[in-house]
Amino acid sequence: MSSDWNGYFRGLHDTWWQWAARNHPAELDGVSRASRPPVFAKGFEELNVIVPEDRELAEHIRRLIPRSQRHRGYASMRSSQALAQSVFGAIAAGENLNGIIADCGRSAFRNSEFTMDMEHEAHWLGEPRPTSIDVFLRSSNYRVAVECKFTEREFGLCSRPNLTPNDASYEEQFCDGSYSRQRKRIARCSLTEIGASYWEALPNLFQWDAQKDLVVCPFAKTYQLARNVLAACTYNDGIARPDTGHVLVVYDARNPEFHNGGGALAQFDEATGASLVPGLFRKLSWQNLIAQLTDFDWLDDALRQRHGIIAEKL
């Protein structure tokens, strides 16, 4: 781990514990401060979501992610899911997203009227387990898949090269990291072999030739980002249309992995560089998103106190 990221995380760790010890000492799970960030005890998980004093609005925000869709680390104060629910839950209550600008200068959400879902499952990619989108915005002719990050160091990678002989799917799905026919498979991608339609659509979005062997599979390192854009731009007919959607990554501006030389930014740049159209991937920090919202002083104050997230103008 880089010393920069360690320093960033230690700062957050101290901020979290100071806030939790001051506001909810009796609702934590009892594990010591030295071990890890504060985690709310069973039955108090919802305290990890920021809500306003208005009871009706607070309940609306809490209901956006059912218990069955909560991530394993939902109760931890480092949870990006709980942070996303706090911010986008407030937005869903009435904020107009028109005019919000991404880092690249393009519209972050595209000026349109959207329906918003959280933990939205994309069932049109032929996956054994559907891609789940953190925040999914859809209108009649456009979709935005929002990927929310906080302290994460990278985007998700393809797991097939990391399978071991102890894994039940090893013989069928192990991949050596190349895009080529392996282990008596017909398809070049082991995921294609089990029904996922990624490589039918990827060439419509990226400069990747599905009909040629590739020494290094370009999908491996961009796996999570590419699946998100497939969910945004691919419809039930299996055809990817790059003019019908984009991915927006929301991240912590303090996280060194999203700075020059950071691993997450390198993955983002790789996906962006291979895209067939500009703007297919966009990013925006939590700090700049909050700065562009209006009438959310309660959220601004809570983010500053809990997470040290301070709104900053673009």
Side-chain angles (χ1 to χ4, degrees):
M1 293 186 179
S2 71
S3 57
D4 287 346
W5 187 89
N6 285 334
Y8 155 73
F9 192 78
R10 281 196 300 271
L12 269 174
H13 184 273
D14 291 344
T15 299
W16 290 325
W17 273 105
Q18 289 169 14
W19 181 87
R22 185 169 60 249
N23 292 279
H24 295 288
E27 289 79 28
L28 301 179
D29 68 355
V31 177
S32 70
R33 174 173 180 161
S35 301
R36 54 163 166 71
V39 175
F40 289 96
K42 186 175 182 180
F44 296 100
E45 299 93 341
E46 290 182 349
L47 292 174
N48 204 26
V49 178
I50 300 169
V51 295
E53 293 183 0
D54 183 289
R55 290 187 179 181
E56 184 175 348
L57 178 53
E59 283 307 306
H60 170 76
I61 294 172
R62 291 190 182 108
R63 287 195 301 267
L64 286 173
I65 299 181
R67 286 184 177 274
S68 62
Q69 293 182 314
R70 292 175 180 174
H71 296 170
R72 183 178 179 181
Y74 180 84
S76 170
M77 288 194 69
R78 70 180 295 180
S79 169
S80 56
Q81 187 186 40
L83 176 59
Q85 185 176 355
S86 300
V87 176
F88 283 95
I91 291 172
E95 175 72 16
N96 188 333
L97 292 173
N98 293 343
I100 304 294
I101 304 300
D103 292 355
C104 61
R106 297 180 177 87
S107 171
F109 300 97
R110 194 172 185 263
N111 295 337
S112 184
E113 295 297 323
F114 285 104
T115 298
M116 181 187 295
D117 298 312
M118 300 199 71
E119 297 303 323
H120 182 83
E121 292 187 345
H123 289 277
W124 50 91
L125 299 174
E127 302 167 296
R129 186 172 64 182
T131 293
S132 181
I133 309 300
D134 293 340
V135 183
F136 198 66
L137 305 171
R138 49 184 169 159
S139 66
S140 59
N141 60 0
Y142 202 86
R143 303 189 296 200
V144 181
V146 184
E147 179 63 33
C148 299
K149 298 298 186 188
F150 190 12
T151 64
E152 289 88 347
R153 306 201 65 186
E154 63 182 7
F155 295 96
L157 308 173
C158 180
S159 64
R160 273 44 185 189
N162 294 323
L163 293 176
T164 71
N166 293 326
D167 293 303
S169 57
Y170 178 79
E171 287 299 327
E172 180 187 12
Q173 297 182 35
F174 175 76
C175 172
D176 64 7
S178 68
Y179 180 66
S180 62
R181 295 181 179 90
Q182 304 164 40
R183 310 177 75 82
K184 300 181 181 181
R185 289 194 295 266
I186 297 173
R188 289 180 170 88
C189 175
S190 64
L191 297 169
T192 303
E193 194 83 4
I194 61 173
S197 59
Y198 303 140
W199 279 97
E200 294 177 23
L202 287 170
N204 287 345
L205 302 172
F206 297 95
Q207 301 166 26
W208 302 340
D209 190 341
Q211 304 307 315
K212 293 182 178 179
D213 288 352
L214 302 169
V215 175
V216 177
C217 178
F219 188 34
K221 286 188 177 181
T222 59
Y223 183 72
Q224 185 178 37
L225 287 165
R227 289 175 78 206
N228 272 265
V229 81
L230 285 172
C233 298
T234 307
Y235 290 75
N236 291 332
D237 58 10
I239 299 175
R241 299 174 177 86
D243 59 341
T244 62
H246 71 263
V247 169
L248 177 73
V249 174
V250 187
Y251 65 98
D252 186 356
R254 300 166 296 174
N255 187 340
E257 299 297 347
F258 285 88
H259 298 175
N260 289 335
L265 182 60
Q267 289 173 283
F268 181 88
D269 288 345
E270 183 173 340
T272 300
S275 302
L276 289 174
V277 298
L280 198 58
F281 294 93
R282 309 175 193 187
K283 58 184 177 68
L284 174 66
S285 70
W286 292 108
Q287 287 82 353
N288 284 329
L289 171 58
I290 298 304
Q292 294 182 73
L293 298 178
T294 57
D295 301 324
F296 282 96
D297 289 344
W298 61 270
L299 180 61
D300 194 346
D301 291 342
L303 287 171
R304 182 184 298 108
Q305 292 176 30
R306 288 188 184 216
H307 302 302
I309 294 175
I310 300 173
E312 296 177 357
K313 297 295 183 180
L314 283 167

